[in-house]
Amino acid sequence: MVFVPEDVPFLAVVASLWFVLGLYGLSALWWLVETIVLSWGWRGDGGDRTWGVEDVQVRVLTIGAEAVVQGTVDSIPDGIDDVRVVSERKIDIDGATVHVVPESFECTATNKGRALEWARRNVECGREYVLYLDEDTLVTGFTGIPDADIVQFTEKPLYTGSWLTYCCEVFRVGYQFEQYGFHRLSYPLYAWGGGVAVRHSIERAITWDVATITEDTNFIWRAADRGAISYRLVDARFRNQAPPSLRAMIKQRRRWMSGTVRDGGLLPRRYRPLYLTRAVAWGFSPLVPVLVVVTTLLPSTFPYRWLYAMLSIGLFGILFVYMLAGLVGYRKHPVLWPVFVVLTPLAALFHAIGALWGIVRPIERFEVTEKVSPAEIEAEHPELEPGAIADHDGTERLVRESADEYSWTPFEDDVESETATADD
């Protein structure tokens, strides 16, 4: 075959389209391997909880959101008698010891990492584990910790007034089903959301004293680089908050991606293609529906045109698989699934905008996502009576009585019914 100069632009388009499709295809294939193959045995030996709540010190990190933190502290099981709040300014919290990070404290870490490192150096801990919670994390189903160096607790963000960000969180929770396969990896691909418990001896050895804006993931990668670590996932579905606005969510995703891209050098070479594929696929996932449209416009001379069309449609379908996995995680009733399925392209788009922004223009500083008070959460959820969060015991569920109950409302967790109760 003889090529002429006019073929060059066409060949460039062909190569670009196949490259984009292949990149996203590898990411989707890896997700399926993680969730279907590597997830086998994620519970460990019968899902045991070797260490009890009495073996845990809880640390809640905050700039100074007093009402939000009080709700988090109230949700911690009564069996945990060592609860610390590490704050950037003085606040009053019932049921916890508040430590204020001095302005004079200096270290390599910045922002949240600086507070983590100050606490590591100055807050005494005589327990086996330190359980780190974000300021808005409501503990649920916490009865102990399996014997592992790093323990990730799954999350299920609560509706806080924005149906679009809530829909994006359902989509994200579905994608994070890949966490069930992380125990098979030497380097778990990330640690965020819900809560993270760290063996105290590991924390002392690794420290938080590095410059990063994704502290949890950075810590677990450095720990894995130091030597073999054990990782376990506990499917407790801690309740944190969906961002209250689209703007807040986009900024949050930008920070996550910026930190991931910046810290990618910590991974060994064998992990970097996977990490880069996932990052680019996340940021450019809105292109998948575009590829489906493009296939209808491709000329008949496009190599393997029908194969490309079938693959692009299949990868577009993967977006709906992520959403369906999220609906399973949220226990939404199947009659509601069509609502979220229709919204899937929109959820994928807005979930990716911040990530794409983080790839194109990475952020260098930590930005706190807006949070709402427990009273505002209770106002958004009619099944929660006033004071339900303050009365909540973290060993139980928050909204519904059973993990087998379905949610019958699209953008809230439940409605008042014969089986729903205020304290779960």
Side-chain angles (χ1 to χ4, degrees):
M1 182 179 294
V2 178
F3 293 103
V4 295
E6 287 76 9
D7 293 326
V8 174
F10 176 68
L11 292 175
V13 171
V14 170
S16 298
L17 288 175
W18 275 109
F19 176 76
V20 172
L21 189 73
L23 196 64
Y24 198 85
L26 288 173
S27 174
L29 178 62
W30 174 248
W31 186 87
L32 291 172
V33 169
E34 287 179 302
T35 55
I36 297 174
V37 180
L38 300 185
S39 63
W40 185 263
W42 70 271
R43 293 183 184 275
D45 299 328
D48 60 299
R49 306 288 175 91
T50 304
W51 302 91
V53 294
E54 67 278 1
D55 299 308
V56 177
Q57 179 186 94
V58 174
R59 294 180 189 172
V60 183
L61 279 296
T62 183
I63 288 181
E66 188 171 288
V68 176
V69 173
Q70 187 63 66
T72 295
V73 171
D74 289 340
S75 75
I76 295 171
D78 294 338
I80 299 178
D81 58 7
D82 191 359
V83 180
R84 312 298 180 103
V85 173
V86 182
S87 177
E88 298 290 341
R89 56 176 177 261
K90 186 176 180 180
I91 56 176
D92 294 321
I93 301 294
D94 293 333
T97 302
V98 177
H99 302 271
V100 180
V101 182
E103 293 184 6
S104 59
F105 177 67
E106 295 183 358
C107 63
T108 303
T110 60
N111 301 298
K112 182 180 176 181
R114 172 177 170 272
L116 287 163
E117 179 61 14
W118 180 87
R120 184 192 70 83
R121 298 184 190 184
N122 296 279
V123 176
E124 184 179 353
C125 178
R127 308 301 169 90
E128 182 68 18
Y129 286 92
V130 179
L131 172 60
Y132 284 101
L133 302 175
D134 288 337
E135 62 185 8
D136 64 317
T137 300
L138 303 177
V139 177
T140 60
F142 183 62
T143 57
I145 293 182
D147 190 41
D149 297 324
I150 308 288
V151 180
Q152 170 81 68
F153 292 84
T154 56
E155 61 179 319
K156 191 163 72 169
L158 284 160
Y159 172 80
T160 57
S162 170
W163 65 267
L164 185 52
T165 63
Y166 181 80
C167 187
C168 291
E169 291 293 65
V170 175
F171 181 84
R172 179 173 68 87
V173 165
Y175 190 87
Q176 287 185 189
F177 266 52
E178 66 173 348
Q179 289 179 319
Y180 292 107
F182 283 3
H183 68 287
R184 302 285 185 184
L185 305 178
S186 300
Y187 286 73
L189 297 180
Y190 53 81
W192 60 46
V196 177
V198 180
R199 199 184 295 273
H200 185 48
S201 58
I202 298 292
E203 182 189 46
R204 289 200 307 267
I206 303 302
T207 83
W208 301 94
D209 197 16
V210 293
T212 180
I213 56 175
T214 48
E215 297 80 8
D216 298 342
T217 300
N218 180 286
F219 179 90
I220 199 172
W221 286 354
R222 287 187 295 114
D225 189 57
R226 179 76 67 91
I229 60 168
S230 53
Y231 171 96
R232 289 282 297 277
L233 183 76
V234 175
D235 193 19
R237 296 293 170 187
F238 285 3
R239 309 311 304 270
N240 46 11
Q241 299 181 17
S245 68
L246 191 59
R247 178 175 177 271
M249 186 190 74
I250 290 173
K251 291 171 66 177
Q252 179 194 63
R253 282 6 181 211
R254 182 191 184 193
R255 172 170 58 83
W256 288 350
M257 179 59 79
S258 298
T260 300
V261 170
R262 180 176 177 179
D263 294 339
L266 295 173
L267 291 171
R269 293 185 183 278
R270 67 183 184 277
Y271 274 85
R272 291 181 191 179
L274 174 61
Y275 138 79
L276 289 172
T277 298
R278 292 179 68 261
V280 174
W282 177 14
F284 290 89
S285 58
L287 287 178
V288 179
V290 175
L291 293 179
V292 176
V293 175
V294 167
T295 57
T296 65
L297 306 175
L298 293 176
S300 58
T301 55
F302 187 91
Y304 302 104
R305 179 173 180 268
W306 291 109
L307 175 61
Y308 191 92
M310 288 186 291
L311 290 174
S312 61
I313 292 171
L315 291 179
F316 182 50
I318 288 291
L319 298 178
F320 297 93
V321 174
Y322 298 154
M323 179 62 83
L324 290 172
L327 294 170
V328 171
Y330 267 84
R331 297 296 297 169
K332 294 293 184 185
H333 197 280
V335 300
L336 298 175
W337 290 8
V339 176
F340 288 87
V341 168
V342 169
L343 292 171
T344 296
L346 197 61
L349 171 64
F350 286 108
H351 177 61
I353 288 176
L356 179 58
W357 192 10
I359 293 173
V360 176
R361 291 192 62 185
I363 194 173
E364 296 292 333
R365 58 189 179 87
F366 187 96
E367 293 188 29
V368 178
T369 306
E370 302 169 32
K371 307 296 191 308
V372 300
S373 68
E376 292 173 276
I377 291 177
E378 291 164 356
E380 293 290 351
H381 293 265
E383 72 278 15
L384 291 175
E385 297 178 354
I389 291 177
D391 295 337
H392 172 63
D393 182 348
T395 60
E396 303 171 354
R397 298 175 63 81
L398 176 63
V399 178
R400 275 167 284 159
E401 203 167 69
S402 167
D404 297 324
E405 280 189 55
Y406 283 120
S407 171
W408 287 82
T409 53
F411 305 116
E412 297 178 7
D413 277 72
D414 205 355
V415 294
E416 293 184 55
S417 63
E418 294 180 1
T419 56
T421 62
D423 58 358
D424 204 57

